[in-house]
Amino acid sequence: MHLERTVEHFLKKGYAVRVFETKEEARDALCAELVGESIGFGGSATLDELGLYDALSEKNRVVWHWRCPEGKTPAELRRQAAECDVYCSSANAISETGEIVNIDGTANRVAAILYGRKKVYFICGQNKIEQTLEKAIFRARNVAAPINTRRLGLDTPCAKSGRCHDCNSPQRICRALSVLWEKPTGAEMELILIREDLGY
Ligand code: SF4
């Protein structure tokens, strides 16, 4: 994993990039600049580990289906989050060559990332960096997805073996794959890289 090379390639591909030593520093920086915004969150253990929902909720309207208030459903919150001005997500993997890879079950996260937000933040620990796009896709399928199925208690082959079998299980969580080769034209996107292992 080569963090400096990653930064260089993401800058070339049009992203803003900031590097933080710790998750607390990253969280504080985001809280200092995001005030009075509507902010949607994608499902993410990284965002959870940052404590970002509670921190940003002090001065913003934050919508996250992982924090579902009484009377709301996760499906409603996923839709509302995808309509917010700002969107925060992690990635299942990023590559040193500047690509962002995400696998999704409901596709709410990939839909919200790809178009229509005022700004998208990708918040990633250094453990998400792979050398190439191929290795990043491998990581998304064979590291992130199996851990996710275990977290959700799903009956999929990867939950048992820890690697992808390209299953046809009714509980399959891999239904959409997005690869950002470069920052989409006209979009504002920033990669927040943290020199810690975060999420999976
Ligand atoms: S396709 Fe199936 S086996 Fe592969 S990671 Fe997704 S849920 Fe697991």
Side-chain angles (χ1 to χ4, degrees):
M1 183 277 294
H2 199 303
L3 196 133
E4 282 69 30
R5 189 178 305 140
T6 309
V7 171
E8 186 189 320
H9 281 123
F10 271 89
L11 287 171
K12 274 189 193 153
K13 291 189 169 210
Y15 297 91
V17 182
R18 273 182 288 174
V19 179
F20 294 93
E21 295 300 315
T22 67
K23 60 181 184 293
E24 289 79 14
E25 287 174 25
R27 182 190 61 215
D28 292 349
L30 289 168
C31 286
E33 71 194 39
L34 292 171
V35 175
E37 300 281 3
S38 66
I39 305 173
F41 274 27
S44 164
T46 299
L47 301 186
D48 210 15
E49 287 172 32
L50 258 69
L52 198 57
Y53 177 86
D54 289 336
L56 284 176
S57 291
E58 287 178 17
K59 294 183 180 168
N60 302 276
R61 182 176 79 88
V62 187
V63 183
W64 197 16
H65 63 287
W66 283 19
R67 298 285 188 281
C68 193
E70 217 176 298
K72 298 274 184 194
T73 65
E76 277 179 83
L77 295 182
R78 283 190 193 96
R79 265 196 305 276
Q80 286 175 15
E83 290 166 357
C84 287
D85 286 341
V86 176
Y87 200 76
C88 292
S89 175
S90 189
N92 292 135
I94 62 174
S95 63
E96 287 180 11
T97 46
E99 289 98 3
I100 300 175
V101 175
N102 275 302
I103 285 177
D104 223 340
T106 56
N108 61 298
R109 185 172 54 137
V110 298
I113 284 168
L114 290 179
Y115 184 73
R117 311 282 70 72
K118 194 169 81 178
K119 181 161 183 179
V120 177
Y121 291 91
F122 294 97
I123 300 158
C124 299
Q126 61 185 7
N127 54 315
K128 299 293 180 72
I129 301 173
E130 294 286 347
Q131 217 173 9
T132 63
L133 172 59
E134 290 68 30
K135 286 181 178 173
I137 292 173
F138 184 89
R139 182 186 199 283
R141 299 192 77 175
N142 290 282
V143 177
I147 295 175
N148 245 325
T149 57
R150 283 183 189 154
R151 173 180 66 84
L152 295 164
L154 300 180
D155 183 17
T156 59
C158 60
K160 297 178 190 82
S161 73
R163 65 180 177 84
C164 180
H165 298 259
D166 198 14
C167 71
N168 59 4
S169 158
Q171 295 193 319
R172 173 176 169 129
I173 60 165
C174 308
R175 292 170 187 262
L177 168 71
S178 81
V179 176
L180 280 171
W181 280 318
E182 301 211 358
K183 184 182 73 63
T185 305
E188 191 180 349
M189 294 185 171
E190 180 164 8
L191 176 63
I192 303 286
L193 263 179
I194 303 169
R195 290 185 199 270
E196 291 180 349
D197 290 353
L198 296 162
Y200 40 80

